[in-house]
Amino acid sequence: MSQMIRTSLDALSDLLSAVGMTRPLYVCSRRWTSRLPDCAPVFSHFEPNPDFDQCAAGVSMFQRKGCDGLVAIGGGSAMDTAKGIKAMLLSTSFPAALLGQYPGSHAYPLICVPTTAGSGSEATQTAVLYVDGQKHSLSHPMLLAQGVILDPSLLSTLPADMKRSCALDALCQAIESFWSKAATTESQMIAGPAMQVIFHWFLPYLQGDRQAAEQMLHASYAAGEAIQMTRTTAAHAMSYQITKQLGIPHGDACALTLPYLWMRLTRDPAFIKPGSMLASRMGVSFNDAPLLFLGLCLDTGLYPPRCADPELLDYLTDSVNIERLGNHPQPLTREDIRALYIQALNPAPEEMAEKALALWRHHAE
Ligand SMILES: [Fe+2]
């Protein structure tokens, strides 16, 4: 199903009419209320990495205020919360909502307005929500937004560390989609250019460049479209408990493991074709591509937390969703995953870090 896309928040009332919504529930933080109509119902009781049960309060407000659709304004957490509310509205019970059983005949239209260039949730039918500390992905065609507003001016007030983390999320999504076992020529035609744009505009975006914000917003939307087609791979699967246990933002958590997963892939003959295509888009050699990624992370201040606690490493290892790893282009054993966590959560060897930084700085000149 195609989405209606606008490029300015000023077009919201037009988009509301286009999707047939007259009384939206706005799912957003309070900071956006000055941009909304007076007395508009606002649900803001959600947190980063939202819990599914937080959505129940949103359902109550939706019904109490007589709403007929949802407008999510924010990052992945706001958009995924809105999708969680919609899932509950469409289903008959909490477990049915989790299982994607949506017999409801009401469509409850959804409009997504991303205020970060990152999750790509505006382009997907998936919501990542937590239940009792465990990650659940809700995925259903009815959770895809009917309308999207990609307005780069909304990104201007984001703090630099959030910009970086969200952009790293989009970058990992584009790369993981590209090398996913489920990748097709069509999905790679979306993921490849998205990755290239994010690499190219990463630093100007962090420095506040307006054109870079526009480019990043569209590229992260494209990365969302790409993972909608392929789903993500090991970097995402390994990220969720890094975020939960160590409080590291989602995009940063994905970017900590991705270069080491990539280095392992370069030793696999089956990776030569996709790896060469990715490296060529980045303008570096096959073996240097993961180092360039690592250099970007180091240069923009993403440092590993230093984690040597064997119990935590075991917990992280055992928490990885094996099903999600089935999409990764290389088999990984439990020992592989544990070794990857040790690498990702501790400083890179000095020689590797120096080479990575030199590559990235040369690339960014
Ligand atoms: Fe992500």
Side-chain angles (χ1 to χ4, degrees), residues 180-258:
S180 160
K181 270 188 178 173
T184 61
T185 305
E186 188 190 1
S187 68
Q188 288 183 329
M189 289 290 287
I190 297 172
M195 181 214 70
Q196 202 168 353
V197 167
I198 297 168
F199 255 110
H200 181 78
W201 291 100
F202 206 102
L203 289 186
Y205 171 58
L206 294 190
Q207 289 155 2
D209 183 283
R210 162 84 193 214
Q211 188 188 354
E214 187 177 346
Q215 293 285 338
M216 295 291 275
L217 196 52
H218 285 269
S220 59
Y221 176 85
E225 282 186 296
I227 53 159
Q228 173 66 46
M229 298 163 86
T230 64
R231 306 199 66 179
T232 49
T233 63
H236 264 69
M238 293 178 68
S239 75
Y240 295 107
Q241 288 300 328
I242 295 179
T243 294
K244 271 287 170 192
Q245 301 302 321
L246 298 167
I248 293 175
H250 171 66
D252 291 350
C254 296
L256 284 173
T257 60
L258 188 131

Side-chain angles (χ1 to χ4, degrees), residues 68-292:
D68 61 359
L70 294 143
V71 176
I73 306 175
S77 301
M79 292 187 276
D80 287 0
T81 298
K83 290 179 187 176
I85 292 170
K86 182 164 174 172
M88 284 190 179
L89 286 165
L90 291 170
S91 59
T92 52
S93 68
F94 187 91
L98 268 181
L99 291 170
Q101 295 168 351
Y102 308 139
S105 56
H106 294 288
Y108 302 117
L110 168 66
I111 292 173
C112 283
V113 187
T115 61
T116 66
S119 75
S121 180
E122 68 277 12
T124 76
Q125 62 179 42
T126 303
V128 175
L129 294 159
Y130 285 79
V131 178
D132 298 330
Q134 295 301 313
K135 173 199 159 273
H136 282 261
S137 288
L138 307 187
S139 186
H140 193 281
M142 291 185 81
L143 301 184
L144 181 70
Q146 283 72 30
V148 176
I149 295 178
L150 299 176
D151 181 342
S153 71
L154 304 179
L155 276 54
S156 61
T157 57
L158 265 184
D161 57 343
M162 273 196 65
K163 274 188 176 175
R164 183 198 63 203
S165 172
C166 295
L168 285 173
D169 183 20
L171 184 55
C172 291
Q173 288 177 175
I175 292 168
E176 289 179 69
S177 174
F178 196 92
W179 72 32
S180 160
K181 270 188 178 173
T184 61
T185 305
E186 188 190 1
S187 68
Q188 288 183 329
M189 289 290 287
I190 297 172
M195 181 214 70
Q196 202 168 353
V197 167
I198 297 168
F199 255 110
H200 181 78
W201 291 100
F202 206 102
L203 289 186
Y205 171 58
L206 294 190
Q207 289 155 2
D209 183 283
R210 162 84 193 214
Q211 188 188 354
E214 187 177 346
Q215 293 285 338
M216 295 291 275
L217 196 52
H218 285 269
S220 59
Y221 176 85
E225 282 186 296
I227 53 159
Q228 173 66 46
M229 298 163 86
T230 64
R231 306 199 66 179
T232 49
T233 63
H236 264 69
M238 293 178 68
S239 75
Y240 295 107
Q241 288 300 328
I242 295 179
T243 294
K244 271 287 170 192
Q245 301 302 321
L246 298 167
I248 293 175
H250 171 66
D252 291 350
C254 296
L256 284 173
T257 60
L258 188 131
Y260 299 103
L261 287 159
W262 200 336
M263 287 175 207
R264 287 183 69 89
L265 282 166
T266 59
R267 301 196 287 272
D268 185 341
F271 186 66
I272 289 174
K273 189 177 173 196
S276 300
M277 289 163 79
L278 279 172
S280 145
R281 284 191 176 274
M282 293 159 73
V284 291
S285 71
F286 177 79
N287 285 316
D288 281 349
L291 282 172
L292 185 68

Side-chain angles (χ1 to χ4, degrees), residues 330-351:
Q330 187 176 46
L332 293 170
T333 65
R334 188 185 182 282
E335 287 67 38
D336 294 334
I337 293 168
R338 197 175 191 282
L340 282 158
Y341 271 124
I342 293 171
Q343 278 185 297
L345 299 178
N346 291 286
E350 204 169 320
E351 198 180 327

